[in-house]
């Protein structure tokens, strides 16, 4: 495997592939290229016998603040916006069906696409600084993956609260909601995830692969529908206004009220 795929750093040791979202100056916001880079990384990790389990975490003070909102303004016409959404959905799906176990180690913000990445990760550990949220409506969007897969982890009320109000769940509420199972002391999320990964890596790979495939059965349902709906939302006036307001650091004025 390479040690870098765009904004993603990779280290493989002792059966564990450590994947680092590494764009800390932008809170690890996910670039356009991220999605294809992630798919390539996953394909290579799947083929590499040295990898038995994958751990994903964020560099700096946060896990990930979601899709690159500033880049949304450069996406061009509606077909280009749909292509972007398809790349993102394909990458989420590739992550979800990756044949080896995955663990997210979360600290700080896990927002938007960052929170959604945790939803398609098998196990989620966080520290006490973690804040999970799906604030996409603030930029005229919805969490396209979250509306399809989120309720596999949380119940509908928690998910609707996150989507409709933009609520950010702290570590305890995230555990209550089902987004995370283990809370580590501040700064120890990665150590805890690596400890868990070593335990997972010691188990027979085929047993885990088969269990994962069965547990994930039916999980691809709804992706296509949500892809089209998200692409449509990417072409509204309110999405443009939300993105402009984010860039200009002001409150948006939405027309669809
Ligand atoms: N896309 C692009 N850039 C982002 C980003 C995103 N999703 N989230 C943060 N950044 C950038 C900021 O623009 C800023 O860049 P700058 O220093 O060049 O101005 C930098 O990361 C630090 O973020 P900042 O907003 O200054 O930090 P903060 O502590 O005041 O606020 C957040 C942190 C996460 C609350 C805020 O950045 C935010 O709301 N981000 C968007 C989250 C979101 O809506 N995600 C879903 C996207 S659909």
């Amino acid at each position: 495997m390479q040690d870098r795929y765009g904004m993603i750093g990779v280290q493989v040791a002792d059966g564990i592939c450590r994947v680092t979202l590494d764009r800390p100056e932008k809170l690890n916001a996910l670039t356009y290229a991220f999605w294809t880079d992630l798919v390539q990384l996953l394909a290579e990790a799947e083929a590499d016998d040295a990898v038995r389990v994958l751990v994903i975490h964020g560099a700096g003070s946060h896990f990930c603040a979601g899709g690159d909102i500033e880049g949304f303004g450069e996406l061009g016409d509606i077909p280009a916006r749909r292509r972007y959404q398809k790349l993102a959905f394909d990458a989420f799906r590739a992550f979800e069906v990756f044949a080896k176990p995955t663990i997210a180690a979360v600290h700080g913000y896990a927002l938007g696409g960052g929170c959604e990445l945790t939803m398609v990760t098998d196990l989620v550990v966080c520290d006490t600084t973690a804040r999970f949220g799906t604030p996409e409506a603030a930029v005229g969007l919805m969490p396209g993956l979250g509306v399809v897969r989120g309720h596999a982890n949380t119940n509908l009320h928690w998910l609707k609260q996150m989507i409709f109000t933009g609520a950010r769940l702290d570590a305890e509420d995230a555990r209550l909601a089902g987004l995370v199972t283990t809370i580590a002391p501040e700064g120890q999320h990665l150590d805890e995830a690596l400890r868990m990964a070593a335990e997972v890596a010691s188990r027979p790979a085929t047993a885990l692969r088969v269990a994962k495939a069965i547990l994930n059965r039916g999980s691809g349902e709804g992706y296509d529908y949500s892809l089209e709906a998200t692409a449509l939302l990417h072409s509204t006036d309110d999405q443009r206004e939300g993105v402009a307001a984010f860039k200009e650091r002001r409150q948006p004025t939405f027309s669809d009220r």
Side-chain angles (χ1 to χ4, degrees):
M1 297 194 67
Q2 301 165 199
D3 57 10
R4 188 138 205 115
Y5 298 75
M7 65 169 279
I8 316 171
V10 173
Q11 279 176 279
V12 179
D14 304 324
I16 301 170
C17 177
R18 191 195 299 193
V19 171
T20 307
L21 303 173
D22 190 12
R23 198 183 172 218
E25 70 284 4
K26 294 286 185 184
L27 316 189
N28 301 323
L30 307 169
T31 59
Y32 192 100
F34 167 80
W35 306 106
T36 38
D37 290 336
L38 179 64
V39 170
Q40 185 191 345
L41 180 164
L42 291 170
E44 292 174 17
E46 192 152 316
D48 189 338
D49 290 340
V51 175
R52 296 177 63 81
V53 55
L54 185 151
V55 172
I56 184 167
H57 74 115
S61 306
H62 302 280
F63 180 71
C64 171
D68 184 355
I69 299 177
E70 292 171 353
F72 290 168
E74 294 151 20
L75 284 177
D77 59 11
I78 293 176
R81 285 162 189 269
R82 185 184 179 284
R83 276 196 297 280
Y84 166 77
Q85 279 308 313
K86 176 137 177 41
L87 291 178
F89 272 71
D90 286 350
F92 280 128
R93 184 66 184 147
F95 200 87
E96 184 163 39
V97 301
F98 181 64
K100 303 171 187 183
T102 57
I103 304 175
V106 176
H107 71 314
Y109 291 125
L111 301 180
C115 185
E116 292 175 301
L117 265 179
T118 73
M119 290 173 176
V120 290
T121 308
D122 298 320
L123 306 172
V124 185
V125 174
C126 73
D127 79 354
T128 49
T129 68
R131 298 288 180 273
F132 293 78
T134 51
E136 283 87 343
V139 288
L141 297 171
M142 67 175 182
L145 182 284
V147 296
V148 175
R149 296 301 296 140
H151 56 76
N153 306 304
T154 76
N155 70 34
L156 276 178
H157 277 142
W158 279 107
L159 194 58
K160 287 175 181 169
Q161 183 173 336
M162 290 169 73
I163 295 172
F164 294 177
T165 73
R168 291 181 199 147
L169 306 191
D170 65 15
E172 287 295 347
D173 275 352
R175 180 161 60 181
L176 274 177
L179 287 166
V180 59
T181 55
T182 305
I183 303 173
E186 180 172 348
Q188 291 180 33
H189 54 292
L190 184 56
D191 287 346
E192 177 59 24
L194 292 171
R195 192 198 59 71
M196 206 180 267
E199 177 67 40
V200 171
S202 72
R203 290 164 185 267
T206 303
L208 301 186
R209 182 174 53 75
V210 172
K212 176 168 175 170
I214 296 172
L215 287 164
N216 276 347
R217 69 193 182 281
S219 61
E221 202 178 315
Y223 268 79
D224 290 349
Y225 180 39
S226 186
L227 162 63
E228 299 307 336
T230 313
L232 183 72
L233 288 176
H234 256 280
S235 60
T236 63
D237 291 342
D238 281 341
Q239 189 267 359
R240 272 187 290 279
E241 166 61 7
V243 170
F246 178 78
K247 281 189 190 166
E248 293 159 20
R249 295 193 172 269
R250 61 169 171 81
Q251 287 300 313
T253 307
F254 292 128
S255 55
D256 181 14
R257 285 173 176 272

